Amino acid sequence: MTWRVGIDIGGTFTDVVAIEEETGRRVYEKVPSTPRDPSESFANGLGGLTEHGVDATDTAMVMHGTTVATNAILESKYSEAGLIVAQGHREVLECARQTVPGGFGNIAYWEKPPRVVPLELVREVKGRMAHTGDEMVPLDSGSVRALAEEFKSMGIEAVAVSLLNSYRNPGHEEAVRAIFAEVYPECYLTLSSELSREYREYERTLSTCLNTALMPALTRYVKQLSGAIADSGGKSELFVMQSNGGLVRDADIATQPIKAVLSGPAAGVLAACAFGQVSDEPDLITLDMGGTSTDICLIENGRPHMLAEGKIEHYNIKTPMVDITTLGAGGGSIATIVGDDSLRVGPQSAGASPGPAAYGKGGTQATVTDAHVVLGRIPEATLGDGSITVDRDAARKAVAENIADKLGVSPEEAALGILRLASENMARGISLTSVARGRDPRRFTLFPFGGAGGLHACRCAEIMQTGKVLVPLAPGLACAEGLLMTDLRTDAVYTYVRREDEIDLPELQQAYRKIAEEALAAARREGVEQQRIGVETFLDFRYSSQAYEIRVQVDSHFDGDAQELSEEAWNKAIEQFHDAHERTYGYSYKGQDPVEIVAVAAAGIGELRRPPINEIIPTNTTWAEANIGDTQVFFESKAGHEGGWVSTPVYPRDGLPVGVSTSGPAIVVQEDSTFVLEPGWSMTVDKNGQILATRD
């Protein structure tokens, strides 16, 4: 037997999924995370698989999703780094952009984000390239050598290099690297021309600085993980999920860690794509709700929306990534009273320690999880072998003292208010992902996963006015499972700014062919079978009066050769841009404002064989047989259904009948999550074990 293993390290738990490649048999394991040393929980997760009959020597690939890079950026816990820029550009990070995030009034109190590299560690060198790539001023090699010796004497172990217009001609940056290799070879060095071959000096420089500051920690981290695999007796290679939804070898992510900032959430989106396709639900809105945050993504025609650049906390990062909206709303989000009578939920979280009051670890503040416990939505049946207990009295006390007593309402009413507000917050995130991008959420199916996604699914679906919810077989481990359902991917991009009426088509075709061949070459280096190597090509467009772009896919093929950009394909891509702009923003300037191409991009794909998603063998044929008892649950009153305490059946996930419908209310429990079927909803289970809930 040959196994493929996915390991996703979260803030509270480390999720492990192993799939036997030939049969599709799945093994699930969950171990506590070890924030001080994530490699420890990684090793524990690998070791736990042996109890399920998964031998390390039979493991062909280990895929990993990590939040190490994300957390380092959010907490500003990265290595001290230096920065080398062209003469006269020492303050490039200070200049940044003139735009202020948020509403117009934010300019009165907004503060610039902290610098990744302090000004005292920025150095200038003589030498300049023109925007055409022609050398205007030769590089002063002597000053570069002096800077290398200075950084070495200062003990600065990482240095970013971002010279003007190096995206067009990297010659000067490559010369800097050669000098550092001679004078200071142990220094971690990032060239902006290798990380992001795109214009916009601020974004390229910022991304290069972040990448450089992350390199020492990520390099040590992946070495520890590789060591854990070797210590377990395995010889498999380690692959890491990137923000673009593709895998890359550990050595590559060590040199470009910025590409893994959305590693974990991106894997969950890939799992949703796979499970949606087998259930004939290609249009999904994912709701990945954990203990601290909720990640939302729109999937259309079986594919997630992609961004050419994204944002993490305060920083604009120039790297391709899945279009994910993150909210500070999770099971541990704390409910507070603002002023005298205003309820707020999040973004502060109780985290794993002390956690919600119901967990009995010292938490005293009311959280979203406590509200669920007060209302009976997390029943005793959820606790499985009893290794985790829920203190209902502590949860009720926390909600009563912190919320209910201050508002003069019952604990049940206060808990309902907490859940209502949390669901509204998530619904706003869904609106940002759908309506703000020109998509009607009512035609999408909600796909909840994560430990708490199923608790809010029906409520959020009602707010967004969709009629369907699809719940995967193992919601709490979807991100780990998604790691096993993707491909190897390498992105390449080339800045090419021209108005459509100024285009030299042969010149554009040459750039298009060059970037496609570069992406294909990267895919071939991964050692995948020739017939499973392909390339996807894109063009970034905007109207000439705009400063933002829309990416249009031109081609996708797996014949192993880069194709040409024909005149017909070029004209079709422009029409696609007009349509995409109107669909997204509600208007088009077709015939009014010239279209401008900004970049040519390509993704080299090394397609991995998809493990099969097997049909389940039901142990029960009716819902009555599956029922393990009824519990009292407090529901909100709504049209056709009275509120209050309602006797509600509880079903174990592994005992659900297939193809038989039942009406809500109901609760489905399993070790990794809970699904609440609200009154006014019905559900059935498909052949793959997924729950499809529909509004009556």
Side-chain angles (χ1 to χ4, degrees):
M1 294 187 296
T2 303
W3 294 87
R4 195 181 294 180
V5 178
I7 303 178
D8 179 61
I9 299 180
T12 306
F13 288 102
T14 293
D15 302 327
V16 185
V17 177
I19 296 182
E20 208 280 310
E21 291 186 337
E22 286 75 23
T23 66
R25 177 193 165 206
R26 282 160 166 76
V27 169
Y28 301 102
E29 178 72 14
K30 212 173 181 73
V31 298
S33 293
T34 52
R36 289 185 179 179
D37 182 6
S39 64
E40 182 179 338
S41 61
F42 182 94
N44 294 339
L46 274 178
L49 291 176
T50 58
E51 300 178 8
H52 301 280
V54 181
D55 194 286
T57 58
D58 295 328
T59 301
M61 301 178 73
V62 177
M63 287 86 155
H64 177 47
T66 178
T67 57
V68 170
T70 310
N71 293 341
I73 294 175
L74 296 178
E75 300 171 14
S76 297
K77 294 181 178 178
Y78 32 67
S79 300
E80 190 176 39
L83 171 62
I84 297 176
V85 297
Q87 191 173 44
H89 288 258
R90 184 167 177 255
E91 288 81 15
V92 62
L93 295 181
E94 269 76 22
C95 293
R97 293 292 173 195
Q98 65 178 1
T99 53
V100 173
F104 178 76
N106 283 19
I107 196 171
Y109 56 84
W110 177 74
E111 294 183 7
K112 283 189 176 183
R115 289 183 56 101
V116 179
V117 176
L119 189 60
E120 58 268 22
L121 291 179
V122 181
R123 299 291 184 270
E124 300 175 74
V125 294
K126 292 182 180 179
R128 176 161 301 201
M129 294 288 186
H131 73 282
T132 58
D134 298 324
E135 185 179 67
M136 298 175 64
V137 179
L139 181 70
D140 184 351
S141 300
S143 64
V144 174
R145 184 176 298 274
L147 289 182
E149 293 173 345
E150 180 185 5
F151 281 128
K152 183 177 182 179
S153 65
M154 294 170 64
I156 302 298
E157 62 175 344
V159 176
V161 183
S162 183
L163 302 181
L164 191 65
N165 296 320
S166 59
Y167 68 90
R168 183 65 73 190
N169 184 344
H172 284 179
E173 288 194 350
E174 291 171 351
V176 171
R177 178 170 56 190
I179 294 171
F180 265 77
E182 179 185 343
V183 178
Y184 190 10
E186 60 271 27
C187 179
Y188 293 95
L189 203 71
T190 303
L191 306 185
S192 70
S193 55
E194 292 186 342
L195 183 71
S196 175
R197 279 215 316 263
E198 297 183 71
Y199 79 149
R200 293 191 172 116
E201 297 301 318
Y202 168 67
E203 287 81 3
R204 181 160 53 85
T205 302
L206 176 62
S207 298
T208 305
C209 290
L210 282 169
N211 187 82
T212 306
L214 291 170
M215 281 178 69
L218 263 291
T219 300
R220 290 188 285 266
Y221 176 68
V222 296
K223 284 183 179 179
Q224 288 176 320
L225 300 190
S226 297
I229 295 174
D231 292 342
S232 69
K235 297 181 180 179
S236 56
E237 290 187 87
L238 175 65
F239 295 85
V240 180
M241 172 64 77
Q242 302 174 92
S243 305
N244 60 17
L247 294 166
V248 68
R249 296 180 190 274
D250 57 348
D252 295 328
I253 210 66
T255 58
Q256 296 191 347
I258 197 70
K259 294 185 176 181
V261 290
L262 287 180
S263 178
V269 171
L270 270 295
C273 293
F275 290 128
Q277 287 179 342
V278 298
S279 293
D280 198 25
E281 296 289 344
D283 298 326
L284 302 170
I285 294 178
T286 66
L287 187 74
D288 178 8
M289 185 177 182
T292 304
S293 62
T294 297
D295 298 310
I296 301 168
C297 179
L298 186 139
I299 297 171
E300 197 167 26
N301 297 321
R303 297 172 65 92
H305 283 196
M306 299 290 295
L307 299 174
E309 64 178 83
K311 187 166 187 169
I312 300 296
E313 193 67 359
H314 312 287
Y315 304 113
N316 292 317
I317 297 175
K318 203 73 174 163
T319 185
M321 59 179 63
V322 176
D323 186 2
I324 294 175
T325 298
T326 300
L327 307 173
S333 293
I334 297 171
T336 55
I337 299 297
V338 181
D340 294 328
D341 56 1
S342 296
L343 178 64
R344 174 185 292 174
V345 178
Q348 293 79 18
S349 174
S353 179
Y359 288 175
K361 295 183 179 180
T364 58
Q365 295 177 293
T367 67
V368 172
T369 296
D370 293 315
H372 283 296
V373 172
V374 168
L375 299 176
R377 296 163 69 93
I378 302 180
E380 295 291 343
T382 307
L383 308 181
D385 60 4
S387 60
I388 302 176
T389 59
V390 168
D391 190 336
R392 299 190 184 283
D393 292 336
R396 189 176 182 86
K397 180 180 179 181
V399 172
E401 293 182 353
N402 291 285
I403 306 298
D405 293 348
K406 295 179 180 180
L407 296 178
V409 298
S410 69
E412 289 80 9
E413 290 175 304
L416 275 179
I418 292 171
L419 298 190
R420 188 184 302 121
L421 189 54
S423 297
E424 290 284 355
N425 289 340
M426 285 182 276
R428 279 197 290 272
I430 291 172
S431 180
L432 286 173
T433 306
S434 54
V435 177
R437 288 162 172 75
R439 305 298 189 273
D440 186 347
R442 293 173 295 184
R443 71 176 183 86
F444 289 82
T445 298
L446 191 64
F447 188 90
F449 60 99
L455 290 166
H456 293 263
C458 291
R459 281 176 163 269
C460 288
E462 289 175 357
I463 296 172
M464 61 186 274
Q465 299 182 37
T466 187
K468 290 193 291 185
V469 171
L470 182 66
V471 188
L473 189 60
L477 294 102
C479 288
E481 196 156 5
L483 292 166
L484 310 175
M485 298 177 174
T486 186
D487 302 310
L488 306 178
R489 175 175 175 138
T490 302
D491 285 280
V493 65
Y494 178 76
T495 294
Y496 186 90
V497 183
R498 298 283 193 284
R499 284 187 5 169
E500 61 177 321
D501 54 359
E502 300 172 344
I503 285 291
D504 180 346
L505 193 56
E507 181 184 62
L508 174 60
Q509 289 170 335
Q510 183 179 2
Y512 179 88
R513 189 184 313 112
K514 179 181 178 181
I515 203 70
E517 289 175 347
E518 181 179 325
L520 275 172
R524 292 191 183 102
R525 288 195 295 269
E526 300 296 342
V528 181
E529 302 168 9
Q530 177 64 26
Q531 63 270 27
R532 306 187 74 86
I533 293 175
V535 64
E536 296 178 350
T537 49
F538 311 88
L539 298 176
D540 290 352
F541 290 110
R542 67 185 180 191
Y543 291 115
S544 61
S545 57
Q546 293 176 334
Y548 57 89
E549 298 86 43
I550 291 179
R551 176 159 289 186
V552 173
Q553 183 166 346
V554 180
D555 196 10
S556 176
H557 60 91
F558 282 80
D559 57 12
D561 293 317
Q563 294 189 355
E564 298 292 327
L565 176 66
S566 65
E567 186 173 358
E568 179 184 0
W570 163 253
N571 293 327
K572 181 180 177 182
I574 293 178
E575 289 301 317
Q576 286 179 284
F577 165 71
H578 289 304
D579 294 341
H581 197 283
E582 185 161 8
R583 184 171 61 250
T584 303
Y585 299 107
Y587 68 95
S588 167
Y589 283 153
K590 183 178 180 179
Q592 304 174 50
D593 195 3
V595 173
E596 191 170 57
I597 183 174
V598 175
V600 183
I605 309 294
E607 192 177 58
L608 300 177
R609 298 184 185 278
R610 294 287 187 274
I613 298 176
N614 295 334
E615 298 182 9
I616 64 169
I617 302 175
T619 56
N620 297 301
T621 58
T622 67
W623 289 97
E625 292 176 358
N627 188 359
I628 58 175
D630 292 357
T631 187
Q632 293 292 314
V633 182
F634 195 95
F635 287 102
E636 187 176 9
S637 62
K638 54 184 177 181
H641 300 278
E642 293 185 7
W645 291 101
V646 179
S647 180
T648 303
V650 179
Y651 306 105
R653 185 63 186 266
D654 58 2
L656 303 184
V658 173
V660 183
S661 180
T662 188
S663 298
I667 293 180
V668 179
V669 297
Q670 56 194 110
E671 290 187 9
D672 58 301
S673 68
T674 300
F675 174 61
V676 176
L677 185 73
E678 297 276 350
W681 286 74
S682 299
M683 67 176 172
T684 188
V685 179
D686 68 16
K687 62 183 181 180
N688 301 114
Q690 299 194 91
I691 297 173
L692 180 62
T694 56
R695 289 181 71 180
D696 296 340

